Amino acid sequence: SVHRTFNLENDVGLQDLLLGKHNDVTSLIHTPEGLSGLKVVTAGPINNNASELLTGPQFENLIADLQKRFDFVVLDCPPLLPVSDPAII
């Protein structure tokens, strides 16, 4: 839903990075119009194996990379109880 909130394309995103379709998060970072201090990486197309992608080393490496680049990293996740993804994150 973040892409809708900021009126961003969601045809590629985090999923594509974790699947190895993109090698660098830089190409996936969006700057919402009028919010130059905010950078957003959308989720990308829906993936039925999201929890598997989040448990791999690529996700851990991505978070470490983002922590080096930015002062704050905010992860938008679904509620904890309905799905397992937030517990993994």
Side-chain angles (χ1 to χ4, degrees):
S1 64
V2 170
H3 69 280
R4 286 190 297 273
T5 301
F6 295 108
N7 197 29
L8 300 170
E9 294 293 323
N10 192 36
D11 50 340
V12 294
L14 177 63
Q15 170 190 267
D16 299 290
L17 186 69
L18 298 179
L19 286 172
K21 294 180 181 179
H22 284 268
N23 296 328
D24 184 19
V25 70
T26 304
S27 64
L28 303 175
I29 295 174
H30 301 277
T31 302
E33 187 174 330
L35 298 170
S36 62
L38 179 68
K39 307 298 181 205
V40 177
V41 175
T42 62
I46 294 174
N47 183 313
N48 294 330
N49 298 324
S51 58
E52 291 176 22
L53 293 175
L54 297 173
T55 58
Q58 298 90 340
F59 184 68
E60 191 173 324
N61 294 339
L62 170 64
I63 297 302
D65 179 35
L66 293 174
Q67 287 176 320
K68 291 176 188 171
R69 293 178 188 222
F70 300 102
D71 294 329
F72 298 96
V73 176
V74 177
L75 302 173
D76 180 44
C77 305
L80 184 59
L81 295 179
V83 292
S84 63
D85 303 359
I88 294 167
I89 294 171

